[in-house]
Each structure stands twice: as C-alpha cells, then as structure tokens.
Amino acid sequence: DAKTTQPNSMESNEEEPVHLPCNHSTISGTDYIHWYRQLPSQGPEYVIHGLTSNVNNRMASLAIAEDRKSSTLILHRATLRDAAVYYCILRNTIQGAQKLVFGQGTRLTINP
Amino acid sequence: DVKVTQSSRYLVKRTGEKVFLECVQDMDHENMFWYRQDPGLGLRLIYFSYDVKMKEKGDIPEGYSVSREKKERFSLILESASTNQTSMYLCASSFPRTSRHVHNEQFFGPGTRLTVL
C-alpha cells in the first residue's frame, strides 16, 4: 500500500472550517483516497473517499489535487464532537487487499 | 445502522491465561477483522476472515489464533497471554469487495482494552 503523510496534530476553533491535509506522492492510478476518524474511546469510523473529483457528504468534503499527490479533508463547521484522530488511507480496489493500513493520523483538537 | 459489538470494554488477565475476545456484527458481513492499536504503532491487522471457518493471517499473527464458526461472530484467542499483548483490540467487519461494494468500508466495534499483568 502506498504511504500517506499527515501532520501529527492540528487545532481549530468551534464553528470554524478545518482543513486536514494529506500527502500521498506515490499514489497509483487505481488507489482511492479514504478517510476514517477515531473519536476518543471509540473504534475508527468511515468519513469519506474519492478518486479524482472532489466529494461531499453529510460529514465532510474531500478536495483532491489535480495530480492526486495530495488531498484535503474539509470540515466546514467544526464542532467539539469533531475532536478525533483523522486517518488518510489509500486503498487499491484492483489488487483485492481487504485490510486498512492506518498511519499515525492527525489529532484534531477543537477549542470552544 | 451497522453494529459491531465486542464482549468487553476492559479486561485484566494474568500472564499465561487463555483469553477469548468476542466480536459480533449484525449486518451479515462476510469479512471480519481483528486489529490491535498501540501508541506510536497505529492499528495493525492480526487476523481476518472472509467467510465462516476461513481465516487469513494479518501482519502480526504470532501469539494469536482466531475462530469463525458462525458468520456473525469472530473470536480472537490468546492461547497464553503475555505482557506484550497488553493493548487495545479492535474488531471490524465489512462486505467483501465486489462490484456492488467496491469500497467495502469497514465498521469497527468500540474496542477492548486488555491488560495482561
């Protein structure tokens, strides 16, 4: 699985947008970009995924660079409940790998 | 909503004891996984199963075994617990990767924090 690089930690204020970056310079053409997050004392949960185009869902937006070597998870209006560790993961949907390979992720702190 | 439950949130065992961690999912998922999570090492896959009675080793299977006798239940077994198996254990489940479930997101349980004394 190709490697991703994320900042160890980020901090933001409640009700402000948050942009969580992820670098994946060795991404292959068949790798999808997935984001999971892990709230305190819980297991990880799926947030969003994309291939080339920007994606939106009820939880977040995913902006993917044109060369696909980086992406940004956007929380449009952070709440205290968004404080979590956010993981950016590449998944190759052709090779059939079933496991998720988690890096260290970004620990997001939200200030009231 | 998908629900993945684990038998205990916290467990304390002694070195040498046999330990069973149970995981149950209610979404009829074929795939089930056991991960462990340690500070600085992230989540690492121990074993996974893609069908009843089928299992595959993950990245760190040593010291563990698994059992999948029913589709909804996946057990992780520590035959003789050791202190280096003190960790957070996370179970997950998903559909298999098919044309219908290309991205087969994984659904995680709340975790079991195991301490081996």
Side-chain angles (χ1 to χ4, degrees), chain A residues 7 9-10 19 22-24 39 41 49-50 62 66-67 81 106:
Chain A
S9 62
M10 289 184 65
H19 291 233
C22 180
N23 288 321
H24 28 77
L39 302 170
S41 303
H49 74 270
L62 178 60
E66 198 170 331
D67 64 3
R81 292 190 303 172
T106 297

Side-chain angles (χ1 to χ4, degrees), chain B residues 14-90:
Chain B
R14 296 207 174 273
T15 302
E17 279 192 79
K18 190 169 185 175
V19 182
F20 292 87
L21 302 182
E22 305 285 342
C23 175
V24 177
Q25 51 92 6
D26 65 0
M27 272 300 288
D28 205 33
H29 285 162
E30 283 81 359
N31 291 350
M32 296 189 76
F33 307 80
W34 275 107
Y35 296 85
R36 65 177 281 179
Q37 183 172 29
D38 301 286
L41 297 175
L43 279 83
R44 293 177 291 167
L45 182 66
I46 305 171
Y47 266 98
F48 74 96
S49 169
Y50 51 88
D51 204 348
V52 175
K53 297 191 186 294
M54 306 302 285
K55 62 184 179 185
E56 294 260 351
K57 291 180 180 179
D59 298 318
I60 49 163
E62 296 79 21
Y64 303 95
S65 62
V66 290
S67 173
R68 184 102 181 264
E69 295 297 318
K70 293 185 177 181
K71 191 176 185 180
E72 67 272 18
R73 187 179 298 269
F74 192 33
S75 303
L76 181 69
I77 304 153
L78 288 67
E79 294 289 342
S80 178
S82 63
T83 55
N84 63 14
Q85 291 177 311
T86 292
S87 185
M88 170 69 82
Y89 290 87
L90 290 156

Side-chain angles (χ1 to χ4, degrees), chain A residues 2-112:
Chain A
K3 186 177 168 58
T4 63
T5 305
Q6 300 176 252
N8 288 334
S9 62
M10 289 184 65
E11 198 168 327
S12 185
N13 297 320
E14 200 174 8
E15 299 188 2
E16 290 183 358
V18 180
H19 291 233
L20 296 160
C22 180
N23 288 321
H24 28 77
S25 57
T26 59
I27 190 170
S28 74
T30 51
D31 283 336
Y32 278 74
I33 302 156
H34 285 243
W35 285 81
Y36 279 70
R37 72 178 184 179
Q38 187 170 16
L39 302 170
S41 303
Q42 295 188 29
E45 63 176 352
Y46 166 83
V47 177
I48 199 167
H49 74 270
L51 181 64
T52 56
S53 304
N54 295 346
V55 184
N56 300 298
N57 67 20
R58 63 175 178 83
M59 290 179 72
S61 295
L62 178 60
I64 301 172
E66 198 170 331
D67 64 3
R68 298 205 333 120
K69 293 184 186 299
S70 66
S71 60
T72 302
L73 180 71
I74 302 165
L75 308 178
H76 292 286
R77 202 161 167 262
T79 69
L80 295 177
R81 292 190 303 172
D82 291 320
V85 178
Y86 286 78
Y87 298 97
C88 171
I89 300 167
L90 300 183
R91 298 194 78 188
N92 188 311
T93 57
I94 289 183
Q95 290 181 1
Q98 302 280 2
K99 67 181 180 182
L100 291 173
V101 179
F102 287 81
Q104 295 305 306
T106 297
R107 182 173 297 279
L108 175 64
T109 301
I110 303 296
N111 300 314

